[in-house]
């Protein structure tokens, strides 16, 4: 039996720089991993792209493919979008799919693919009224949003600690929704 396929998506928040280690952790938990990034996150990880592709055995994607190009990834069993920024949360909830990873995450809802999102936002961003509406929209669409108690809790602006980002929560939730052992 093949391992479950996890699409690991990330936005441009400091924890995205931990993707090589996160891929290894996901693989140790029994997942085959494909990495997708927003365009800015892809620029941040430009130097890590060869390592990510070597680790996963798949190309890292940040752009839509041409309609006639074949899919280069296996079908997803679960999508984890973490870290997901204020901007990406709102784009996804509003259905604005100008970025590849947001489009795939939006489509995952309609395809019934279990989807986990864990924001990485500061306490100033979450004061904007659209953020809470977006979180509720995603939760109402079946997305497991790990935000608030038991998930990611915002820090004060400029006080973030990327090393404290709770990756274990996102990976455990992915394992739970596909029925794999964490």
């Amino acid at each position: 039996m093949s391992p479950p396929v996890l699409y690991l998506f990330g936005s441009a928040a400091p924890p995205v720089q931990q993707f090589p280690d996160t891929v290894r952790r996901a693989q140790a938990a029994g997942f085959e991993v494909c990495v997708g990034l927003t365009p800015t996150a892809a620029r941040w990880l430009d130097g890590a792209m060869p390592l990510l592709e070597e680790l996963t055995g798949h190309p890292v994607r940040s752009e839509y493919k041409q309609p006639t190009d074949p899919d280069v990834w296996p079908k997803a069993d679960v999508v984890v979008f973490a870290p997901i920024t204020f901007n990406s949360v709102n784009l996804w909830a509003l259905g604005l799919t100008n970025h590849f990873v947001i489009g795939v995450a939006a489509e995952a809802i309609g395809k019934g693919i279990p989807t986990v999102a864990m924001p990485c936002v500061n306490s100033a961003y979450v004061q904007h009224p659209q953020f809470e509406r977006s979180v509720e929209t995603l939760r109402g669409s079946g997305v497991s949003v790990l935000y608030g108690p038991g998930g990611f809790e915002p820090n004060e602006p400029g006080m973030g600690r990327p090393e404290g980002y709770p990756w274990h929560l996102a990976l455990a939730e992915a394992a739970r929704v596909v029925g794999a052992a964490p």
Side-chain angles (χ1 to χ4, degrees):
M1 177 178 234
S2 299
V5 175
L6 182 149
Y7 285 6
L8 179 62
F9 291 169
S11 302
V16 79
Q17 295 171 331
Q18 299 164 358
F19 258 35
D21 182 56
T22 305
V23 166
R24 288 182 191 102
R25 291 172 67 180
Q27 290 170 328
F31 288 103
E32 178 178 352
V33 182
C34 298
V35 171
L37 302 164
T38 63
T40 302
R43 285 193 301 277
W44 285 15
L45 291 178
D46 187 54
M49 293 296 191
L51 173 60
L52 289 168
E53 291 182 352
E54 180 183 323
L55 287 171
T56 64
H58 301 289
V60 175
R61 294 190 57 197
S62 62
E63 296 182 13
Y64 286 104
K65 67 178 185 63
Q66 293 294 319
T68 56
D69 290 346
D71 262 333
V72 293
W73 287 355
K75 300 227 180 287
D77 294 301
V78 61
V79 175
V80 171
F81 203 149
I84 183 167
T85 60
F86 173 82
N87 187 54
S88 293
V89 165
N90 291 323
L91 287 171
W92 184 12
L94 293 170
L96 303 174
T97 60
N98 56 326
H99 297 312
F100 164 72
V101 291
I102 294 170
V104 173
E107 193 174 46
I109 293 169
K111 289 181 171 181
I113 299 169
T115 306
V116 178
M118 190 164 60
C120 184
V121 294
N122 68 42
S123 60
Y125 278 123
V126 301
Q127 297 307 309
H128 191 286
Q130 185 57 49
F131 183 76
E132 202 59 49
R133 286 193 293 266
S134 292
V135 167
E136 290 309 311
T137 295
L138 293 173
R139 285 180 173 154
S141 299
V143 176
S144 179
V145 182
L146 305 176
Y147 169 71
F152 177 82
E153 296 197 41
N155 51 272
E156 292 299 316
M159 302 300 289
R161 293 184 340 276
E163 69 282 356
Y165 190 71
W167 287 109
H168 65 284
L169 297 175
L171 295 176
E173 181 66 3
R176 185 192 71 75
V177 298
V178 297

